[in-house]
Amino acid sequence: LWLATRKGLNYYNAKTQSFIRWAVKSPLNPELESIDTLSVAYKDKDHLWLGTRDGLMEFSINEKQMTYQDLPLLNQAVSRMIW
């Protein structure tokens, strides 16, 4: 079970009944520990889309790595939030 929270991306492992959390770093301000993760959706079996306060992130489930997706139209918006 994948959950988007104010503290980042969370995965609940039902077998071990435990959570794993990944902080979502802001591409606009890397000094922030974590930015609000507002939504999560499957891209495919190996990747998730994360809607954040600073835009769109892609999370590789296998590599446990996040990549910022630069969207020029979003950069021009007053609010960069993706729900």
Side-chain angles (χ1 to χ4, degrees):
L1 175 65
W2 294 96
L3 302 166
T5 70
R6 296 193 74 190
K7 296 288 185 176
L9 177 65
N10 297 268
Y11 175 74
Y12 178 71
N13 184 325
K15 288 183 182 180
T16 63
Q17 296 185 354
S18 63
F19 280 93
I20 300 172
R21 181 178 73 88
W22 292 271
V24 179
K25 301 286 186 179
S26 170
L28 307 175
N29 187 355
E31 295 176 11
L32 292 177
E33 178 182 326
S34 184
I35 56 174
D36 293 349
T37 307
L38 306 171
S39 60
V40 60
Y42 277 100
K43 175 182 177 187
D44 56 40
K45 68 181 182 78
D46 297 322
H47 298 88
L48 301 172
W49 289 119
L50 307 176
T52 74
R53 181 174 300 279
D54 289 345
L56 186 65
M57 305 286 284
E58 182 179 353
F59 180 73
S60 169
I61 296 170
N62 295 329
E63 297 174 17
K64 312 293 189 262
Q65 184 175 348
M66 293 190 201
T67 306
Y68 175 67
Q69 299 298 312
D70 188 25
L71 302 172
L73 290 177
L74 186 63
N75 293 342
Q76 298 171 14
V78 173
S79 170
R80 300 172 62 92
M81 288 187 199
I82 294 182
W83 299 89

